[in-house]
Amino acid sequence: MKATGIVRRIDDLGRVVIPKEIRRTLHIKESDPLEIFTDRDGAVIFKKYSPMGELGDFAGQICHALNKTTGQLVAICDRDAIVTAAGNGHRTIAEKPISKELELTLNARTLYSAPIDAPGIAPIGNDSDYQVEIAAPILSEGDILGGVLFLGQSGQKATTDVEKKLAQTVALFLGKHMEN
């Protein structure tokens, strides 16, 4: 645990204000859910909650199956980071924060397919050798939980309509799974 030097008092309703600097640094926005943990030493830990994070192993198996079927680098992300990935290059993107451009693309709530004559968007920022070829948003009860991504190396277009349909199907399945 890292000390910040910031001290806050609990008000009469049991509330604690998380300082703006910390919220900004950790990308915590108003109405974001936080998970609360405690330990034996009396520490209370707030962690940004990700429903997709609970599907880690399950999502990993889906990514692995999609990779084996298509030969593509496949990833599943939540609204903040890549949750899991499978395929050649998966270690370079797994558990990294998603790019602002990918976040905006998922927020559009429609299937994204990279244009043939232009590069796709960066999945994790400018330091990646990969680009998003296909992004299918995962929607559950009207909320965006994340996305199913097919990635390719910059300058190589290898996705087809089959990958688009697979991404949409898996995104629909995960969204329905989260509703239950």
Side-chain angles (χ1 to χ4, degrees):
M1 231 178 340
K2 182 175 137 185
T4 63
I6 300 170
V7 176
R8 291 288 190 256
R9 295 199 182 277
I10 297 175
D11 72 7
D12 57 339
L13 295 175
R15 296 177 295 199
V16 177
V17 174
I18 300 171
K20 188 175 188 174
E21 302 82 31
I22 292 175
R23 293 192 319 261
R24 187 181 307 129
T25 302
L26 299 177
H27 305 289
I28 297 172
K29 298 181 252 348
E30 185 179 321
S31 80
D32 278 351
L34 298 176
E35 199 168 9
I36 302 169
F37 297 91
T38 60
D39 68 11
R40 291 185 180 146
D41 298 329
V44 178
I45 301 163
F46 291 91
K47 182 179 177 192
K48 195 169 180 182
Y49 175 72
S50 168
M52 293 303 296
E54 291 181 8
L55 291 179
D57 292 338
F58 184 60
Q61 292 171 359
I62 290 174
C63 278
H64 184 73
L66 288 172
N67 168 257
K68 288 293 181 192
T69 303
T70 65
Q72 297 280 85
L73 175 57
V74 182
I76 294 177
C77 67
D78 62 15
R79 297 183 66 188
D80 297 310
I82 304 291
V83 174
T84 187
N88 189 19
H90 73 279
R91 288 188 182 108
T92 62
I93 63 165
E95 300 178 8
K96 300 250 173 73
I98 65 171
S99 67
K100 188 69 174 167
E101 196 173 6
L102 177 54
E103 182 182 351
L104 293 172
T105 300
L106 293 173
N107 285 340
R109 298 171 179 262
T110 59
L111 178 71
Y112 167 83
S113 181
I116 293 173
D117 56 348
I121 59 177
I124 60 171
N126 297 335
D127 60 342
S128 175
D129 292 333
Y130 298 95
Q131 63 186 13
V132 177
E133 296 286 336
I134 296 169
I138 300 169
L139 302 170
S140 179
E141 297 178 353
D143 294 329
I144 298 169
L145 301 181
V148 177
L149 314 173
F150 278 84
L151 307 171
Q153 290 199 300
S154 298
Q156 296 178 344
K157 300 283 185 206
T159 56
T160 65
D161 287 339
V162 172
E163 282 88 0
K164 287 180 192 176
K165 292 295 182 191
L166 283 170
Q168 285 178 309
T169 302
V170 170
L172 273 169
F173 175 78
L174 289 173
K176 290 292 181 189
H177 183 75
M178 293 304 293
E179 288 175 7
N180 301 330

